[in-house]
């Protein structure tokens, strides 16, 4: 039973765009305390099958490509597919998320070089 439950926890969950952002916020809040999370963007053509071997008919080319967004933190993995017409709405939700979660960054102090100090 424990092997089966462990298998389920590593499974990728495909969500719609708004639920993806909500779950991403939960992952970011959990990761803020003691870990980190990664977010990846990938061009997606809608084919879930591997590229066929030589001599076999190729996979059909899509009319438009989509974007596959994946987030991973420890054992949680979530993903969503963003269609071309949904990109502006998704990017605005994603930018709001980034603005709200980037409060832990430290400001880098600039070091003045001697050349700039003598010039001005």
């Amino acid at each position: 039973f424990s092997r089966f439950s462990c298998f389920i926890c590593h499974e990728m969950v495909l969500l719609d765009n708004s639920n993806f952002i909500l779950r991403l916020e939960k992952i970011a809040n959990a990761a803020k305390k003691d870990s980190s999370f990664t977010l990846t963007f990938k061009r997606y053509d809608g084919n879930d099958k591997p590229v066929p071997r030589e001599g076999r008919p190729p996979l059909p080319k899509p009319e438009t490509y989509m974007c596959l967004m994946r987030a991973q933190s420890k054992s949680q993995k979530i993903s969503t597919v963003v269609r071309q017409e949904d990109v502006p709405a998704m990017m605005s939700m994603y930018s709001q998320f980034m603005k709200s979660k980037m409060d832990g960054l430290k400001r880098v102090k600039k070091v003045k070089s001697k050349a700039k100090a003598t010039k001005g």
Side-chain angles (χ1 to χ4, degrees):
F1 180 76
S2 63
R3 282 185 175 178
F4 181 70
S5 62
C6 188
F7 176 73
I8 291 174
C9 68
H10 289 288
E11 190 175 307
M12 181 81 62
V13 179
L14 185 65
L15 303 168
D16 63 287
N17 296 341
S18 57
N19 284 335
F20 177 80
I21 295 293
L22 293 174
R23 290 279 298 270
L24 186 61
E25 287 180 4
K26 289 179 183 177
I27 289 174
N29 289 335
K32 194 172 192 176
K33 296 172 189 163
D34 61 348
S35 64
S36 62
F37 68 97
T38 59
L39 189 67
T40 58
F41 294 82
K42 184 178 178 182
R43 186 171 85 165
Y44 181 62
D45 60 2
N47 291 324
D48 293 335
K49 297 179 181 178
V51 178
R53 296 180 181 166
E54 285 187 37
R56 306 266 178 163
L59 294 172
K61 295 281 184 190
E63 293 177 15
T64 60
Y65 286 96
M66 297 171 274
C67 178
L68 178 65
M69 291 177 67
R70 293 180 180 148
Q72 179 178 1
S73 174
K74 291 186 178 179
S75 64
Q76 288 185 313
K77 296 179 183 180
I78 59 172
S79 62
T80 187
V81 176
V82 183
R83 303 196 185 290
Q84 189 174 4
E85 59 270 6
D86 299 334
V87 169
M90 184 63 181
M91 286 299 116
S92 68
M93 287 190 292
Y94 177 65
S95 65
Q96 284 297 110
F97 162 76
M98 292 298 287
K99 288 175 188 175
S100 68
K101 298 299 172 192
M102 291 187 112
D103 55 355
L105 297 176
K106 294 179 180 163
R107 188 175 182 97
V108 178
K109 294 191 177 191
K110 294 182 182 178
V111 179
K112 291 185 178 182
S113 65
K114 290 182 180 180
K116 284 187 177 179
T118 58
K119 229 181 191 182

